[in-house]
Amino acid sequence: MPELPEVETVKNVLKPHLIGRTILSVIINNSSVIARPAAKEFAARLQGQTFADFTRQGKFLKMHFKSGDCIVLHLRMTGV
């Protein structure tokens, strides 16, 4: 389980590299990590999205897009 400072560090490192960038294509290697929608729809909806913000809520990272959509991520670090 990642600690809050680790999650905050990941957010702070990625944020300046993502804001304003647009996703050109999506490759999903493991569809089981996507809760919803189904992997195919997820990839289709993600393509062409532009990052507006990257925030943290507890141990979750949130990718906000200009369209108003948002992806919630968890790092799933186990420490093993």
Side-chain angles (χ1 to χ4, degrees):
M1 203 47 117
E3 298 297 326
L4 280 177
E6 293 167 314
V7 178
E8 184 70 17
T9 297
V10 169
K11 178 196 70 113
N12 290 338
V13 168
L14 291 177
K15 186 174 181 172
H17 298 285
L18 293 177
I19 304 303
R21 310 253 342 219
T22 301
I23 298 171
L24 301 177
S25 64
V26 178
I27 297 171
I28 299 172
N29 292 319
N30 183 358
S31 60
S32 68
V33 300
I34 300 169
R36 61 186 178 279
K40 214 173 210 179
E41 182 184 346
F42 178 83
R45 287 178 60 179
L46 198 54
Q47 193 167 348
Q49 295 272 12
T50 301
F51 289 97
D53 201 5
F54 195 64
T55 62
R56 179 186 62 80
Q57 186 171 352
K59 292 186 180 182
F60 291 92
L61 294 170
K62 296 173 82 174
M63 296 175 151
H64 303 270
F65 298 99
K66 288 187 177 178
S67 68
D69 288 339
C70 179
I71 294 177
V72 179
L73 306 167
H74 192 280
L75 298 178
R76 299 285 181 216
M77 300 165 74
T78 63
V80 176

